[in-house]
Amino acid sequence: LDQQEKNQAKTITVPGIVGEVCSSERIAELFDPTYYNVKYEYIHDDSYPENTVVDQTPKRGETRKVQPNKTKCTVTLTVSTAALTIRIPDFTIEEHRSVRQRLIDMGLEAEEVKEYNPNFGSGLVIRTEPIAGTNVKMGSKVTVYVSRGAEFIMTQVPQFVGLQASQAYRLM
């Protein structure tokens, strides 16, 4: 009769683990493998501490009919992982439009600032902020500094025609 009772269907109440750290010990304590199959899904979200259960299906308190080791209740736990980070490549001397598109494709927000720089041709990337090699969170803003080329400053030259050399030197 004991063996027959062990194999009979029974109704179980699903325990809850949302908000707790996901550890194998705690999972084993709450979800007896005789009655439960536990599956995991992972999300990159820095609004939750790493390795925290942020959702579960079915929810705490729901009931399920199970048959030990045959018909089990599948519980899916959604667990937070560290926020997804991306390393900023070195874009120096690359064409700014392609750099902007690459940043967008990487899941980052690109902002451009144009400035004069005699060492870089117009339209080429001078530097980024954060600097190359820095790890940033997905969705972060990266400022791309783009060269306008050398700055040409217009100056007014005095009229020297007809002046003595000493007079012309005084005007300079």
Side-chain angles (χ1 to χ4, degrees):
L1 196 65
D2 269 344
Q3 188 64 28
Q4 208 172 23
E5 284 179 14
K6 284 183 183 180
N7 291 329
Q8 285 187 345
K10 71 182 228 176
T11 301
I12 58 170
T13 301
V14 178
I17 190 170
V18 172
E20 295 185 37
V21 172
C22 186
S23 70
S24 55
E25 296 82 17
R26 185 68 174 137
I27 299 300
E29 178 185 322
L30 290 174
F31 301 103
D32 180 344
T34 307
Y35 302 108
Y36 294 97
N37 284 322
V38 180
K39 293 186 177 182
Y40 300 92
E41 293 179 354
Y42 297 92
I43 60 167
H44 298 285
D45 190 339
D46 63 346
S47 62
Y48 300 100
E50 188 173 2
N51 212 31
T52 300
V53 178
V54 298
D55 194 16
Q56 78 175 55
T57 304
K59 304 290 185 206
R60 175 190 196 138
E62 290 185 23
T63 58
R64 295 291 188 267
K65 196 164 199 115
V66 295
Q67 189 172 4
N69 295 315
K70 290 184 180 177
T71 309
K72 297 181 182 183
C73 174
T74 298
V75 176
T76 303
L77 302 178
T78 304
V79 180
S80 70
T81 62
L84 188 59
T85 59
I86 299 165
R87 175 165 279 162
I88 303 292
D90 186 357
F91 293 119
T92 307
I93 311 178
E94 292 189 35
E95 201 280 323
H96 75 101
R97 288 179 294 246
S98 65
V99 168
R100 179 182 186 81
Q101 189 57 54
R102 281 179 55 199
L103 287 168
I104 292 167
D105 292 345
M106 293 168 69
L108 299 169
E109 181 184 328
E111 176 185 58
E112 287 187 0
V113 174
K114 296 189 181 212
E115 59 184 40
Y116 291 103
N117 190 310
N119 300 318
F120 293 86
S122 181
L124 298 181
V125 174
I126 302 166
R127 68 183 182 283
T128 59
E129 282 183 20
I131 63 171
T134 303
N135 287 325
V136 296
K137 293 178 189 172
M138 176 85 83
S140 294
K141 180 174 79 173
V142 176
T143 303
V144 179
Y145 290 86
V146 179
S147 177
R148 290 183 171 196
E151 183 174 17
F152 294 100
I153 300 172
M154 301 294 280
T155 58
Q156 189 165 355
V157 179
Q159 181 58 263
F160 294 117
V161 176
L163 298 178
Q164 298 281 328
S166 61
Q167 292 173 317
Y169 284 122
R170 278 189 295 241
L171 289 176
M172 291 196 277

